[in-house]
Amino acid sequence: MAGGEQKKAGGEQKKAGGGGKKKEVKKETGLGLSYTKEGNFGEWYSEVVVNAEMIEYYDISGCYILRPWAIAIWENMQTFFDAEIKKMKVKNCYFPLFVSPGVLEKEKDHIEGFAPEVAWVTKSGKSDLEVPIAIRPTSETVMYPYYSKWIRGHRDLPLKLNQWCNVVRWEFSNPTPFIRSREFLWQEGHTAFATKEEADTEVLQILELYRRIYEEFLAIPVIKGRKSEMEKFAGGLYTTSVEAFIPNTGRGIQGATSHCLGQNFAKMFEIDFENEKGEKAKVWQNSWAYSTRTIGVMVMVHGDDKGLVLPPKVAAVQVIVIPVPYKDADTQGIFDACAATVATLSEAGIRAEADLRDNYSPGWKYSDWEMKGVPLRIEIGPRDLANNQVRAVRRDNGAKTDISRVFLVEQVKGMLDKIHENLFEVAKQKRDASIQVAKTWDEFVTALGQKKMILAPWCDEEEVEKDVKARTKGEMGAAKSLCTPFEQPELPEGTLCFASGKPAVKWTYWGRSY
């Protein structure tokens, strides 16, 4: 697993900040990575997120500083998602970080699911608090006592709220930047409806927005599906998710979740309303969230041995312009052309910057911006100046093209679109090559050993899933169900469950996961 800072938080700070002499030199020259993606994925990932200036390690294990390069990606996704949910009449709000124990423990299944990860405030100064206060791991129990207060009649419905906030889950297993951290940023939507039909419709509307974030912004293919009873949200009716896969580690990763909570929380928190017939009824509720984990998935899927590879739609800088002056060249003319290029692109809505630092060579700058994953590099040298052109170099495949400055904007826009398409296609090919159909237990175990995402016929029994987990436990971690895809292949009559030999009722994806 990437990171491993549980064991060596201090050691990692050294690694991140340059402890020994060798590291110091490396930081100064800014040359490359010590590890390859194929050779040591965990160390490669830890190095990329630090060297690309996404995060800095903090002195509390499992907590990370998110630097501007990472926050810009989060903001670009946020801008899209926030606008989309507002079209659905969802309103933003903010609830406190703290939860009283009485409220937190009201929904038994829910708190049992989160209990090991709940952090508690027990002191104020040197005095013990009379009643300890929990820090939210999620906000159902924070918000729903007030839904009960605000919802009285059918005219108060639907109630659709969202908050952009942080949550704390005191994880103890393998903290990893973005993927598994003790504090993370997310949005969490909490909605209440008069009917189950309305709730069911919204679950899928939100799930589609999550698919769009992954596929249209992060260029990552995902599978939409439903979680098993064992893997669903604690206390909910059912959970849907978008699932990604990391071929290098052979692990699935839950990308985002949209839950139908049913009426369970409405019963616990007495969220009743008077319907149009004047009868008392319970509301139907949903909750849905995606987090900064999205950024980690992007790094893992697209990153290479030169560093980060950013999809254009989320990159803080889409185009970096670098002057390449030779001896006796018209340096000022080249610098002016760089500034003009940035201005032209910026006016067209493209996020462009020039790197005019005079204490680094062009070659050093190329490596630096490749490490940071900028989608397109534009170089301007004396020959380009003479020919009224620029040279464009793609980060995803290294392809070089000379572009006339007359057609600069349309050419660059076209290239950015092609970069996104290529990143998505390459990721999809790698993901698809990792999917294996297994119809028997032996086929399943073989595929699991080959780091595959396994599509298998299943009887949909919880005991069988528990048994699969128990039988696959090992150093790499147990296999579990990832999701049952909405797009189901045909299930021929008489097909048996891969694990129990009982009649199969559905196809489900299985594998190890983050």
Side-chain angles (χ1 to χ4, degrees):
M1 191 80 165
E5 78 281 15
Q6 193 70 8
K7 293 180 285 186
K8 49 167 187 172
E12 284 208 341
Q13 276 191 296
K14 261 189 189 172
K15 187 166 87 178
K21 196 176 178 187
K22 194 175 171 192
K23 293 286 179 194
E24 227 20 90
V25 171
K26 188 170 175 50
K27 192 165 170 40
E28 285 305 313
T29 59
L31 295 171
L33 299 166
S34 310
Y35 298 92
T36 63
K37 193 175 183 180
E38 283 294 324
N40 188 330
F41 186 85
E43 292 292 350
W44 167 84
Y45 179 82
S46 296
E47 235 188 336
V48 168
V49 292
V50 172
N51 289 12
E53 297 180 6
M54 299 279 275
I55 65 126
E56 187 61 83
Y57 284 99
Y58 194 58
D59 65 354
I60 296 171
S61 177
C63 298
Y64 310 96
I65 299 161
L66 301 189
R67 299 184 67 180
W69 204 242
I71 289 294
I73 296 167
W74 181 242
E75 286 175 338
N76 285 327
M77 291 188 282
Q78 184 178 24
T79 300
F80 160 75
F81 189 79
D82 202 61
E84 290 297 322
I85 60 173
K86 280 174 178 159
K87 288 178 196 170
M88 294 168 65
K89 306 298 183 211
V90 176
K91 293 183 169 65
N92 283 327
C93 64
Y94 185 79
F95 279 73
L97 178 68
F98 303 112
V99 200
S100 66
V103 169
L104 185 68
E105 288 156 11
K106 206 160 188 174
E107 210 300 320
K108 196 169 128 305
D109 288 343
H110 178 70
I111 189 52
E112 269 179 19
F114 284 103
E117 300 172 357
V118 176
W120 294 87
V121 179
T122 56
K123 279 183 178 291
S124 165
K126 292 190 175 175
S127 318
D128 289 336
L129 293 183
E130 206 171 296
V131 178
I133 295 167
I135 299 174
R136 63 175 170 227
T138 179
S139 299
E140 281 74 10
T141 57
V142 179
M143 298 167 85
Y144 298 167
Y146 300 92
Y147 279 40
S148 169
K149 186 178 179 180
W150 299 334
I151 295 168
R152 286 283 177 261
H154 63 90
R155 290 178 190 84
D156 299 323
L157 293 171
L159 178 61
K160 300 181 178 187
L161 299 181
N162 175 68
Q163 64 174 0
W164 295 92
C165 63
N166 62 339
V167 284
V168 173
R169 297 182 185 174
W170 212 252
E171 299 265 9
F172 282 98
S173 62
N174 298 312
T176 305
F178 300 115
I179 300 296
R180 194 170 284 279
S181 56
R182 287 177 168 172
E183 179 193 8
F184 55 87
L185 302 180
W186 75 351
Q187 61 68 221
E188 50 176 327
H190 295 269
T191 54
F193 300 91
T195 65
K196 182 175 185 290
E197 290 71 29
E198 290 171 280
D200 287 339
T201 299
E202 189 203 59
V203 164
L204 296 181
Q205 284 178 319
I206 293 293
L207 196 69
E208 172 60 11
L209 291 181
Y210 292 151
R211 180 201 67 78
R212 289 182 63 192
I213 283 172
Y214 273 95
E215 298 197 344
E216 295 177 16
F217 284 77
L218 298 172
I220 295 168
V222 288
I223 292 164
K224 284 193 203 177
R226 185 163 165 156
K227 290 287 192 184
S228 68
E229 285 299 298
M230 200 165 142
E231 292 293 329
K232 75 177 184 184
F233 183 69
L237 180 62
Y238 66 86
T239 290
T240 67
S241 68
V242 287
E243 299 285 330
F245 189 73
I246 312 299
N248 293 76
T249 58
R251 290 181 187 274
I253 188 157
Q254 182 176 284
T257 47
S258 183
H259 316 284
C260 180
L261 303 178
Q263 295 179 305
N264 198 18
F265 286 89
K267 285 170 190 160
M268 295 299 156
F269 291 95
E270 298 174 3
I271 311 175
D272 302 314
F273 72 102
E274 195 175 275
N275 67 20
E276 288 170 345
K277 294 174 187 171
E279 303 159 342
K280 194 175 168 186
K282 299 250 177 270
V283 298
W284 291 85
Q285 288 175 274
N286 293 338
S287 71
W288 28 272
Y290 82 94
S291 75
T292 37
R293 167 177 269 212
T294 47
I295 299 171
V297 181
M298 177 204 76
V299 176
M300 289 182 165
V301 169
H302 299 309
D304 63 19
D305 293 344
K306 289 181 178 179
L308 203 56
V309 178
L310 293 176
K313 283 189 187 170
V314 293
V317 176
Q318 295 171 311
V319 180
I320 188 71
V321 181
I322 298 175
V324 190
Y326 302 137
K327 258 186 191 175
D328 308 322
D330 176 6
T331 306
Q332 192 54 51
I334 290 169
F335 274 42
D336 289 346
C338 288
T341 299
V342 169
T344 302
L345 294 173
S346 299
E347 276 170 29
I350 295 163
R351 296 186 289 277
E353 286 182 13
D355 185 347
L356 304 177
R357 292 176 291 177
D358 59 5
N359 57 330
Y360 293 110
S361 70
W364 191 96
K365 292 176 187 179
Y366 298 166
S367 297
D368 190 38
W369 291 106
E370 281 172 351
M371 176 68 73
K372 294 180 81 171
V374 172
L376 196 63
R377 177 174 83 236
I378 283 181
E379 304 165 7
I380 300 178
R383 203 184 54 154
D384 302 303
L385 195 61
N387 295 336
N388 197 31
Q389 66 179 33
V390 301
R391 169 157 283 195
V393 185
R394 284 171 55 163
R395 173 66 182 89
D396 61 325
N397 63 9
K400 297 176 180 179
T401 316
D402 290 332
I403 300 173
S404 162
R405 285 175 64 187
V406 179
F407 306 111
L408 182 70
V409 170
E410 60 197 74
Q411 292 271 358
V412 166
K413 281 187 172 174
M415 288 177 103
L416 293 174
D417 288 344
K418 284 197 176 80
I419 290 168
H420 179 94
E421 287 164 20
N422 184 52
L423 286 173
F424 182 82
E425 276 312 310
V426 169
K428 190 172 185 301
Q429 284 164 17
K430 286 181 182 171
R431 194 275 314 266
D432 291 350
S434 301
I435 295 173
Q436 184 79 44
V437 173
K439 293 180 180 175
T440 66
W441 181 255
D442 286 347
E443 287 175 3
F444 179 83
V445 172
T446 302
L448 194 63
Q450 294 167 345
K451 297 184 177 177
K452 300 291 187 185
M453 185 183 196
I454 303 154
L455 185 60
W458 181 36
C459 61
D460 197 16
E461 289 183 16
E462 202 168 315
E463 286 309 310
V464 174
E465 182 168 7
K466 283 180 185 167
D467 187 49
V468 170
K469 263 190 170 176
R471 286 160 76 186
T472 56
K473 225 172 193 163
E475 270 181 45
M476 295 276 289
K480 63 180 185 181
S481 69
L482 303 173
C483 77
T484 294
F486 292 144
E487 287 186 13
Q488 283 281 307
E490 192 190 339
L491 188 70
E493 207 176 316
T495 303
L496 301 178
C497 170
F498 78 100
S500 67
K502 296 176 183 177
V505 296
K506 57 164 77 163
W507 289 94
T508 297
Y509 282 105
W510 298 76
R512 294 193 176 93
S513 77
Y514 281 97

